Each structure stands twice: as C-alpha cells, then as structure tokens.
Amino acid sequence: MNITILGPGAVGSLYAYKLHLAGHSVSLWGRTPSRKIEITLDDGENIAFNNQSLEDLKRCDLLIVALKAWQVQSALLPLLTHLDNDTIILFLHNGMGTVDMLADELTERPVILGTSTHGALKVNTNTVHHTGNGQTLIGAWNEKGQQCQFVAEVFDHAFSPTHWHSNIQQALWTKLVINCAINPLTAILDCRNGQLTNEEYRAQLAGIVEEAVCCANFDGVELEASTMLDTVVNVAQSTAQNYSSMHQDIYNKRQSEIDFINGYVVNIAAKHKIDIPNNLSLYQRIKQIEASWSHHD
Ligand code: KPL
C-alpha cells in the first residue's frame, strides 16, 4: 500500500519502520521541512523516508494520524484538501474526541480508529526504540470504514498482533480509562507507572476509574469498574519502568493530552450532569501546571 504517516513521533516512526519492512511504500509528514527523515529502529538499518511529499500524500491509500491528540485538528485539516476521497484515514493516538471535532469533514471518507499498547520511545530525532510489545486494535468509525477490515490484516502482517475490533469504541474507552488513571497521576507525582501499584494509591485509582466507567456507560459503552481497576493496576505493573506519556510531556514542559483524556471524560460528565470530582481535580491540576509555564518562563 501507499501509506503516509502524519506525525513521525515515537509511535508513528515505529509503525513507519515496520510497514516499510513489510514492503509498503511509506512516506512521512512531519513538522520539519526537510525532504527526508531517517529512522533507525533499535539495532536495525537506517531508512530514509520521504517527508512532506505532496505527491505521496495525493496518491496514498492510507493516511495514519499518529500525532498528539491536540495537534490533530490543525495539522490534518489543511491536508484533507489534497487527499483523495477514497484514502482511508486511520486515527492512532491516545485520548478521544479528535474525530468528533472533524466529523463534518470526515463523514464522507473511510475512517477507522485504532489503539495500540506497544511501547515506543524516541531517543533522538532519528532513533526509536520498541520498548514493549503490545497489540493494535482497529475498527470502523463510520459506514465507509466498515469496508476497511483488510487494513487489520495488512498491519498484522507488518506488525503482529493486530486485530479488527467490531466495537472499537469499547477498546478506545478501555484505553481512555487506563490513561485517565495512570497519566495525570504519574505526571503530578513525578513517578514511573509502577509506583501506582502501591496500596496507598488504590482508593484514588478506584475513584478515578469508577467515574470514568460511569461516563463510558452514559456514552453507551459497557465497562465494569472493578474489572477496569484490575486492568489499570495490571497495566501499571506491566509498564512499571515506563514514564507515562503525560509524565514525559509535563516533565519536558510540553502541552499534554489532558483535554482528550480526563478532559474528554469531564465533558461527557457535564453533558449528563454527573459529578466526577477525582477526574475534575486531576484535569484542573494538569491545566494549572501547563498554565504556570507561560506565566513564569
Ligand atoms: O498509554 C500509556 C501512556 O503512557 O500514555 C500507558 C498505557 C499509561 C503506558 O505508559
């Protein structure tokens, strides 16, 4: 396939490399204006990808959006005019809500959503490490997306395991609840994911998870709070040595994805008039930290 990856960060670079190795023609669309971006995965060979090639973009069969959630709208909108109407768009990022923001522009296109549990770390501009094996789940956002199940097979061949999920909203909400619990807490406490498995955080995690699950249920997605709490603790355990993506963002004073993680849940709660004090205070605390940079730096 002809594939363009918008956002060659850690996850985007990892998929670019794997898809290239599987024989696909992969092009990148990053912020840097250089015509080529070189990427090395772990100890593999260096691969030079085209960057910002309008020609590649126009003829791509699949556009993978692997940006930070808050970058999606402004980066994707100007590219849509160059994209063929049949190009499949796959959203692959943490958080929820970006596709809803662009719904009017996307309804007529084949759109699919994905979530991944792979660990990836960009150690410098050109080198990415695959830090933890995981899986990729892909599913349809709209009617035209339903015709794109073969993309899961293409991915599975390039980067196994990848599965097609008939209810991708459930998978996305599951990941969202995990991110609601782990990401802001690790950023605020300045700790690795593993620290949250300490008993002293159990009640707080349970509160966050219960509220987020309640919002998922209001959104028509069936999740169960005690199962989700177990899942959160398991993920914190299996990624114990990792710093969460929000920890990394806050630590490096980069804008976090809070609006699309706890902020998304806060919006759903407001719509249904439910109180979610745990998520609200995490949301406000991260926003406060972000606001403090512009005031003091
Ligand atoms: O997705 C993650 C993130 O850091 O954003 C988790 C699952 C919490 C792993 O670190």
Side-chain angles (χ1 to χ4, degrees), residues 94 175 178-179 182-183 193 235 239 242-246:
N94 267 347
K175 182 75 193 292
I178 295 167
N179 288 140
I182 296 179
N183 292 26
N193 293 355
V235 171
T239 60
N242 291 12
Y243 286 108
S244 76
S245 55
M246 196 173 292

Short mmCIF file of all heavy atoms in Angstrom, two decimals, residues 94 175 178-179 182-183 193 235 239 242-246, ligand 1:
data_model
loop_
_atom_site.label_atom_id
_atom_site.label_comp_id
_atom_site.label_asym_id
_atom_site.label_seq_id
_atom_site.Cartn_x
_atom_site.Cartn_y
_atom_site.Cartn_z
N ASN A 94 -3.44 8.49 21.59
CA ASN A 94 -4.07 8.43 22.90
C ASN A 94 -5.22 9.43 22.96
O ASN A 94 -5.19 10.45 22.30
CB ASN A 94 -3.06 8.85 23.98
CG ASN A 94 -2.33 7.66 24.58
OD1 ASN A 94 -2.73 6.51 24.38
ND2 ASN A 94 -1.29 7.94 25.34
N LYS A 175 -8.91 1.97 26.86
CA LYS A 175 -7.62 2.64 26.88
C LYS A 175 -7.74 4.01 27.56
O LYS A 175 -6.85 4.44 28.30
CB LYS A 175 -7.07 2.79 25.46
CG LYS A 175 -5.70 3.42 25.33
CD LYS A 175 -4.58 2.48 25.72
CE LYS A 175 -3.22 3.14 25.90
NZ LYS A 175 -2.59 3.66 24.72
N ILE A 178 -7.72 3.72 31.30
CA ILE A 178 -6.34 3.44 31.75
C ILE A 178 -5.54 4.75 31.77
O ILE A 178 -4.86 5.08 32.75
CB ILE A 178 -5.66 2.41 30.80
CG1 ILE A 178 -6.36 1.06 30.89
CG2 ILE A 178 -4.17 2.29 31.12
CD1 ILE A 178 -5.96 0.08 29.78
N ASN A 179 -5.65 5.52 30.69
CA ASN A 179 -4.92 6.78 30.61
C ASN A 179 -5.41 7.80 31.64
O ASN A 179 -4.61 8.57 32.18
CB ASN A 179 -5.02 7.37 29.20
CG ASN A 179 -4.20 6.60 28.18
OD1 ASN A 179 -4.61 6.38 27.06
ND2 ASN A 179 -3.02 6.17 28.58
N ILE A 182 -3.67 6.51 34.99
CA ILE A 182 -2.20 6.46 35.10
C ILE A 182 -1.54 7.79 34.72
O ILE A 182 -0.62 8.27 35.40
CB ILE A 182 -1.63 5.31 34.24
CG1 ILE A 182 -2.13 3.96 34.78
CG2 ILE A 182 -0.10 5.36 34.22
CD1 ILE A 182 -1.63 2.75 33.99
N ASN A 183 -2.01 8.40 33.63
CA ASN A 183 -1.25 9.52 33.07
C ASN A 183 -1.15 10.76 33.96
O ASN A 183 -0.04 11.19 34.29
CB ASN A 183 -1.79 9.87 31.67
CG ASN A 183 -1.49 8.76 30.68
OD1 ASN A 183 -1.35 7.61 31.04
ND2 ASN A 183 -1.40 9.10 29.41
N ASN A 193 5.20 4.53 36.13
CA ASN A 193 3.88 3.88 36.21
C ASN A 193 3.80 2.90 37.38
O ASN A 193 2.77 2.79 38.05
CB ASN A 193 3.57 3.13 34.91
CG ASN A 193 3.40 4.06 33.74
OD1 ASN A 193 3.41 5.28 33.90
ND2 ASN A 193 3.25 3.52 32.53
N VAL A 235 -1.78 -2.85 33.97
CA VAL A 235 -1.00 -2.05 33.00
C VAL A 235 0.11 -1.31 33.74
O VAL A 235 1.26 -1.26 33.27
CB VAL A 235 -1.91 -1.07 32.22
CG1 VAL A 235 -1.07 -0.10 31.39
CG2 VAL A 235 -2.87 -1.83 31.32
N THR A 239 3.97 -2.01 32.82
CA THR A 239 4.77 -0.89 32.29
C THR A 239 5.47 -0.17 33.45
O THR A 239 5.73 1.04 33.37
CB THR A 239 3.89 0.11 31.51
OG1 THR A 239 2.89 0.64 32.40
CG2 THR A 239 3.18 -0.53 30.34
N ASN A 242 8.20 2.35 32.95
CA ASN A 242 7.95 3.45 31.99
C ASN A 242 7.51 4.73 32.70
O ASN A 242 6.82 4.67 33.72
CB ASN A 242 6.81 3.09 31.03
CG ASN A 242 7.20 2.01 30.05
OD1 ASN A 242 8.22 1.35 30.23
ND2 ASN A 242 6.37 1.81 29.05
N TYR A 243 7.86 5.84 32.11
CA TYR A 243 7.21 7.09 32.46
C TYR A 243 6.07 7.26 31.46
O TYR A 243 6.27 7.10 30.26
CB TYR A 243 8.19 8.26 32.34
CG TYR A 243 9.20 8.30 33.47
CD1 TYR A 243 10.54 7.98 33.25
CD2 TYR A 243 8.79 8.66 34.75
CE1 TYR A 243 11.45 8.02 34.29
CE2 TYR A 243 9.71 8.70 35.80
CZ TYR A 243 11.04 8.37 35.57
OH TYR A 243 11.93 8.40 36.59
N SER A 244 4.88 7.55 31.96
CA SER A 244 3.74 7.68 31.05
C SER A 244 3.98 8.84 30.08
O SER A 244 4.82 9.71 30.33
CB SER A 244 2.46 7.95 31.84
OG SER A 244 2.43 9.29 32.28
N SER A 245 3.22 8.85 28.99
CA SER A 245 3.40 9.91 28.00
C SER A 245 3.10 11.28 28.61
O SER A 245 3.76 12.27 28.28
CB SER A 245 2.50 9.66 26.79
OG SER A 245 1.16 9.53 27.20
N MET A 246 2.13 11.33 29.53
CA MET A 246 1.82 12.64 30.14
C MET A 246 2.92 13.06 31.11
O MET A 246 3.25 14.23 31.21
CB MET A 246 0.47 12.61 30.85
CG MET A 246 -0.07 14.00 31.15
SD MET A 246 -1.73 14.03 31.81
CE MET A 246 -2.71 13.48 30.41
O1 KPL B 1 -0.61 4.75 27.21
C1 KPL B 1 0.11 4.98 28.14
C2 KPL B 1 0.76 6.31 28.15
O2 KPL B 1 1.80 6.48 28.78
O3 KPL B 1 0.21 7.21 27.51
C3 KPL B 1 0.27 3.99 29.26
C4 KPL B 1 -0.60 2.80 28.99
C5 KPL B 1 -0.11 4.62 30.56
C6 KPL B 1 1.67 3.44 29.33
O4 KPL B 1 2.61 4.33 29.81
#
